[in-house]
Amino acid sequence: MHEAYDIQHVQEKWLPIWDQIQPFRSGKADDPRPKKYVLDMFPYPSGDLHMGHAEAYALGDVIARYWVQKGFNVMHPIGWDSFGLPAENAAIKRNSDPREWTYENIEIQKSSMRRFACSFDWDRVLHTSDPEYYKWNQWLFLEMYKKGLAYRKDAAVNWCPTCQTVLANEQVVAGLCERCDSVATKKKLNQWYLKITDYADRLLDDMQQLEGQWPEKVLMMQRNWIGRSIGAEVDFAIEGRDAPVTVYTTRPDTLHGATFMVVAVDSELATELVTGTGVESDFAKYLESVKAATDIDRLATDRPKTGIFLNRYAINPVNGEKIAIWASDYVLADYGTGAIMAVPAHDQRDLDFARAMKLPVTVVVESDEEDPNISGVATTGDGVMVNSGSLNGLNKADAINKIIEELAGKKLGKSAKNYRLRDWLISRQRFWGTPIPIIHCPSCGEVPVPHDQLPVALPSAKGLDLKPKGTSPLGAVEDWVNVACPQCGAAAKRDADTMDTFFDSSWYYLRYTNPNLSDQAFDRKEIDKWLPVDQYVGGVTHAILHLLYSRFFTKALHDMGYLGFTEPFSKLLNQGMVLMDGSAMSKSRGNLVKLSDELATHGVDAIRLSMVFAGPPEDDVDWADVSPAGSLKFLNRAWRISGDITSPAGCDFTKGDLALRKVTHKALHEISFAVETFRFNVAVARVMELVNATRKAIDSGCGAADPAVREAAEAIAISLSLVAPYTAEEMWERLGHKPAIALAGWPTIDPALLAEDAVTVILQINGKIKDRIEVSPNISETELEKLAFENPEIKAALAGAKPSKIIVRAPKLVNIVL
RNA sequence: GCCCCCGUAGUCCAAUGGCAGAGACAGAGGACUUAAAAUCCUUCCAGUGUCGGUUCGAGUCCGACCGGGGGCACCA
């Protein structure tokens, strides 16, 4: 019988020893190693860890442990994103305080992480629901308030009728609440916003720094989300109104083709324009019907155009034509100026509207395509300007430049930019979040809570009705909400809303530098030492929200003088999801795989290895495709080698078998390269090869006593320590070393051992392989060419024919072209 | 509708423009065993979605199409 190691025993054996050694503490002041900040996205404490966590932390650990082996002072912290709705919902169900559920779950996850052998620095833990943390949320909010980055406004906001709270734009997905999939509605409310739009250009332009360091997909998603558009603003005089109406257009070149104007029906402008026209009641009816429609209705792509003529006219500034003003819901009140010039010939939406309302269509760009009047298809491409006065004959780009110049000269327009990005709504009408540190005073208005009164702590939820009812439960806590105004002392009320939890996670990576600091959010000296994050690891689900907000916070803090950098995460790795049979795991789907079951059956190392080896880290892992049993088999195979070694620890490797030494050094070299380029699956494959080669050397080669075999075994153990820490530690002990292998150090690679003695050269004729020859890797091109022509196969194939071209790539191939 | 990514054995996946197969899963056969498990060894299988181009040479670069996935979407 072949021995196999006892997984559970090995796990229990090493955990207390590692607790003692603490190989991953990064807080020592005199640490001479260069720094590396490796960060895993922190979890939400929603019960025990699941398969997705296991994948994410297995991958993050490969990176963190690799850099430790390479001699870096790695900060690899963990914390909990512990405010949020699930805790509140659980509290409602259990009739308890959200704190109980939250901190219970944190303890459960913490002990699972320890067992999973995550290389976290347990001295740097934070929870966003601790008053010591959210105090600094409040401080940060007030700093932003001072700078005008936090402000209140009335607006129609997204509202989830089930969660009974407002939602950020980013939290409405296809018209549904991202959390509970209820149809989101609109509600007019006075709410707190952060002015992220002030940073739109920098959020876009700074992505240059991230090119090649972040997944292209994420950069693309952020670009799409910010949605910068470049165009012009044009003033249209309005009959019977002193001030003109400004429209935004990306196609000022088509201004001569503007045959009507459309204003957003739900804009103040529309209401103002309709007043006194006699169509007020029809307008009101239309507005009501639009308001009744949900976002779902609005998103229907083939929805017919609707609208109402406002019985008023604008004057086209370039040709003096009187054009009708309509109100419609296809123009958005909160984008651009809420009013557009309609050019039906060259914009499909305008054309659809014109055809529905029987409005004129004037072609001003001539192209090969059919007249939109006939085809019903707007021509949106480039062409030659016609019917456009001074622009006639120009192409699109030239016409845009010229018209903007002309309009600017007459003070009728200018170039302009617009963004799809909107300001970030952060008020939430829920209990389990950071209270907004503002006091509303009847005479002083909004008053910030003075710094020495922070944190504004959450009261106990005891006896509180947390059920969603549209206003914050905090408003009902009399002795909490009623306070004296810090300015005039009069009776005033606290703002009862709490902050979006994305606020909490937008700066937590700064706090890890000293999570226990009590007089500041963070210490600039520590920040300068550790930040920016060298490697961020997390799911692509946060590609827009969390990453965009964090980038915004970093830039805002930079501008306030608190940070010396403008991008928080230098490198980003997005791991894929763990699926089962092709779809996301869920209880209702019946394809849930429990992490605890998998760990009990196969052990921590085999599960970690399976996650890492399943494929490229960015790809989804289908658990149906992986074999944890196979992983365990391999680990046993590797472990057995450590027991076969008969040479003493510390023996001289240079006396070992040269062939195996070369294999070992080449493997180490390739494993390093694969890890640094995130091809962890390839790195594992290389370790497997090394194990196979070592097995062969022991059984039928140089034998177990050869120092090269020990060298190989130690290389295997150290490589495996990135993925399978228990097995690696066990091997290390059997090899006669003391723990922890995590600190063993990456073996030094001897470049001389990477050089091949002989390489195979391919000999081709017309790209077809005729023969292979062994040559020295240092062979010159002329020498190689000579050898090729001396080769019998080549000679035979050539049969005296004269080559027209000879390609020599020493020491790889010779291709003779006839 | 606009934009992005991906198509390699039965499966998951490797391959700085240079021998398509590194590694694994599954399958088949064998060794060991009274037998099984475990272990070890051997082995089968595709020519890279399709068509065209660039090149001495294309899985890799370019173009079109087909298929799959994703982002944005009445954003003027």
Side-chain angles (χ1 to χ4, degrees), chain A residues 233 245-249 261-271 273 310 325-341 418 422:
Chain A
E233 284 180 352
V245 165
T246 305
V247 303
Y248 173 73
T249 177
M261 176 184 280
V262 187
V263 298
V265 62
D266 51 344
S267 65
E268 281 169 29
L269 179 63
T271 309
L273 287 174
L310 294 183
I325 304 178
W326 287 68
S328 174
D329 63 349
Y330 87 90
V331 172
L332 306 178
D334 61 348
Y335 183 79
T337 61
I340 64 154
M341 65 179 215
N418 262 301
R422 306 295 202 275

Side-chain angles (χ1 to χ4, degrees), chain A residues 184-381:
Chain A
T185 58
K186 294 276 178 193
K187 202 166 175 173
K188 196 134 190 171
L189 283 174
N190 190 273
Q191 299 278 297
W192 285 99
Y193 289 81
L194 297 187
K195 227 167 175 353
I196 190 172
T197 52
D198 270 9
Y199 286 83
D201 275 326
R202 283 166 64 190
L203 287 166
L204 263 177
D205 298 336
D206 286 356
M207 270 190 262
Q208 249 180 348
Q209 298 175 43
L210 307 175
E211 209 76 56
Q213 308 298 311
W214 280 33
E216 190 46 47
K217 183 182 168 186
V218 174
L219 296 177
M220 194 264 304
M221 282 164 76
Q222 295 221 349
R223 278 190 199 103
N224 270 346
W225 188 261
I226 297 165
R228 178 161 64 193
S229 111
I230 294 177
E233 284 180 352
V234 184
D235 292 341
F236 280 66
I238 307 295
E239 281 194 351
R241 187 180 193 258
D242 293 338
V245 165
T246 305
V247 303
Y248 173 73
T249 177
T250 54
R251 293 295 303 275
D253 55 314
T254 62
L255 187 48
H256 285 84
T259 51
F260 55 99
M261 176 184 280
V262 187
V263 298
V265 62
D266 51 344
S267 65
E268 281 169 29
L269 179 63
T271 309
E272 182 227 301
L273 287 174
V274 79
T275 307
T277 56
V279 294
E280 289 96 328
S281 69
D282 286 346
F283 173 83
K285 240 191 275 169
Y286 176 59
L287 180 58
E288 274 319 299
S289 73
V290 168
K291 276 190 174 161
T294 64
D295 275 7
I296 298 286
D297 301 326
R298 292 193 58 141
L299 285 171
T301 44
D302 50 356
R303 197 158 142 266
K305 291 279 182 288
T306 57
I308 182 165
F309 176 45
L310 294 183
N311 209 9
R312 298 198 63 159
Y313 294 90
I315 308 298
N316 187 327
V318 284
N319 55 21
E321 253 171 57
K322 210 166 107 168
I323 61 174
I325 304 178
W326 287 68
S328 174
D329 63 349
Y330 87 90
V331 172
L332 306 178
D334 61 348
Y335 183 79
T337 61
I340 64 154
M341 65 179 215
V343 185
H346 308 298
D347 181 284
Q348 192 58 47
R349 294 153 303 184
D350 295 346
L351 183 59
D352 293 342
F353 192 82
R355 285 164 80 92
M357 306 302 166
K358 309 245 172 341
L359 295 163
V361 178
T362 307
V363 174
V364 293
V365 182
E366 209 156 66
S367 66
D368 307 337
E369 289 155 82
E370 200 181 352
D371 187 331
N373 278 296
I374 299 152
S375 65
V377 179
T379 60
T380 54

Side-chain angles (χ1 to χ4, degrees), chain A residues 352-415:
Chain A
D352 293 342
F353 192 82
R355 285 164 80 92
M357 306 302 166
K358 309 245 172 341
L359 295 163
V361 178
T362 307
V363 174
V364 293
V365 182
E366 209 156 66
S367 66
D368 307 337
E369 289 155 82
E370 200 181 352
D371 187 331
N373 278 296
I374 299 152
S375 65
V377 179
T379 60
T380 54
D382 205 346
V384 179
M385 303 305 304
V386 293
N387 302 323
S388 294
S390 62
L391 304 181
N392 283 342
L394 296 178
N395 66 20
K396 181 168 155 183
D398 292 342
I400 288 175
N401 288 334
K402 181 149 195 216
I403 188 72
I404 289 176
E405 214 171 280
E406 288 181 10
L407 288 169
K410 294 183 211 151
K411 301 231 180 311
L412 286 172
K414 57 175 193 229
S415 60

